[in-house]
Amino acid sequence: MKIRGLFSSIDISSTGLAAQRRRMDSIAENIANVDTTRTPEGGPYRRRISVFTEAPHTVNTVHLKKDPTRRLDLASRGAGHMDSFSTMMKESKFSGVQRQEVRDTNSPEFYYDPSHPDANEFGYVAKPKINIITEMVDMIAATRNYEANVAAIEAAKSMAKRAMEI
């Protein structure tokens, strides 16, 4: 395993750890605001939902000494061919997990309480559409995903340790 590959696998898992941590923050905020009927934006609290995508990825490239406009992909050439290329390299960004947060667009639930300060003219109060059971299931899934990323980092560290013993 190349050292660069070892660190990129740890970097990818670390992006997953950070994404799951922020997902847990969103879930905690959803649970904390289950009864929030008034927000600074107006109306009831809107549930935060985490959406995961692959992070942007660029490929390592090197320039030929004779023709700087021509590029070769490092993946298609072996390490032995590096002597014929200049040391000018474009650093690659590792591929990883990217998290985006969206607000739930579903209409809120209404319940009748004419004495509530946020009740409308008919006595109904808009309440966030948050299901505690759904939030708890999401929390368990985020915890398991976090644990899986920790296990991947531990496996990469173990492989590096074994490689150093050889």
Side-chain angles (χ1 to χ4, degrees):
M1 173 182 260
K2 292 181 182 179
I3 295 296
R4 188 178 321 147
L6 170 71
F7 289 125
S8 66
S9 66
I10 291 173
D11 286 342
I12 291 169
S13 292
S14 69
T15 64
L17 289 172
Q20 294 304 325
R21 180 186 48 80
R22 289 191 304 270
R23 179 181 180 194
M24 290 289 283
D25 291 343
S26 295
I27 293 168
E29 185 176 321
N30 290 342
I31 292 171
N33 288 295
V34 71
D35 291 323
T36 303
T37 59
R38 186 183 315 164
T39 61
E41 297 87 28
Y45 175 82
R46 297 282 183 173
R47 179 175 181 249
R48 292 168 54 183
I49 303 167
S50 295
V51 178
F52 298 101
T53 57
E54 184 179 351
H57 180 76
T58 58
V59 177
N60 278 334
T61 56
V62 292
H63 299 278
L64 286 173
K65 283 182 181 177
K66 296 177 184 174
D67 184 6
T69 61
R70 186 172 168 209
R71 295 179 171 199
L72 293 177
D73 183 358
L74 284 179
S76 66
R77 306 291 291 190
H81 296 282
M82 289 298 292
D83 299 337
S84 63
F85 302 115
S86 69
T87 58
M88 184 176 176
M89 293 180 64
K90 180 180 176 187
E91 283 297 317
S92 76
K93 293 183 179 179
F94 58 86
S95 181
V97 178
Q98 186 174 11
R99 179 187 155 275
Q100 293 177 329
E101 187 176 282
V102 295
R103 293 285 180 160
D104 190 4
T105 58
N106 291 332
S107 60
E109 295 178 338
F110 290 91
Y111 68 96
Y112 186 73
D113 185 2
S115 64
H116 195 283
D118 294 328
N120 63 15
E121 63 272 7
F122 303 109
Y124 287 95
V125 180
K127 182 180 174 186
K129 202 170 204 173
I130 297 173
N131 185 340
I132 294 295
I133 296 170
T134 302
E135 298 301 321
M136 295 304 290
V137 168
D138 285 349
M139 187 181 297
I140 291 168
T143 303
R144 298 273 167 82
N145 288 330
Y146 191 91
E147 291 169 354
N149 281 303
V150 168
I153 290 172
E154 290 299 323
K157 283 173 35 181
S158 175
M159 284 190 277
K161 187 176 179 180
R162 285 190 204 142
M164 288 184 188
E165 292 173 358
I166 295 177

